[in-house]
Amino acid sequence: MNKKVTIYTKTGCPYCVAAKEDLDRRNIRFEEINVYEKPEAKKKVVELAGRRLVPVIVDGDNITVGFQGGG
């Protein structure tokens, strides 16, 4: 991941926490958008992921839905 990274999250999501920790561990800077704090972002998540599921990590043209562990 080398372009601007955006991660869509929600409060209380353990997968979101793990994904952010993974990005931090790999020294990847990111912008977090919490869909609870910005409800309009829910529409963007559905547009990107095809359903309401977080985390959604956007790295340029690469979109990752969910988090299974570090890479």
Side-chain angles (χ1 to χ4, degrees):
M1 294 184 185
N2 53 21
K3 298 178 184 176
K4 180 182 176 187
V5 174
T6 303
I7 181 169
Y8 292 87
T9 65
K10 72 176 182 179
T11 305
C13 169
Y15 300 103
C16 299
V17 171
K20 291 187 299 180
E21 288 175 352
D22 181 63
L23 292 170
D24 282 336
R25 193 171 31 258
R26 295 188 291 142
N27 294 317
I28 296 172
R29 297 177 70 163
F30 60 90
E31 173 189 9
E32 178 180 4
I33 300 175
N34 185 313
V35 298
Y36 283 166
E37 295 170 6
K38 295 186 177 180
E40 67 276 9
K42 290 178 184 177
K43 183 177 178 180
K44 184 67 175 177
V45 166
V46 172
E47 186 180 302
L48 293 167
R51 59 184 184 245
R52 290 175 55 171
L53 177 71
V54 291
V56 175
I57 303 168
V58 180
D59 175 18
D61 293 332
N62 186 25
I63 299 168
T64 304
V65 180
F67 183 73
Q68 299 294 318

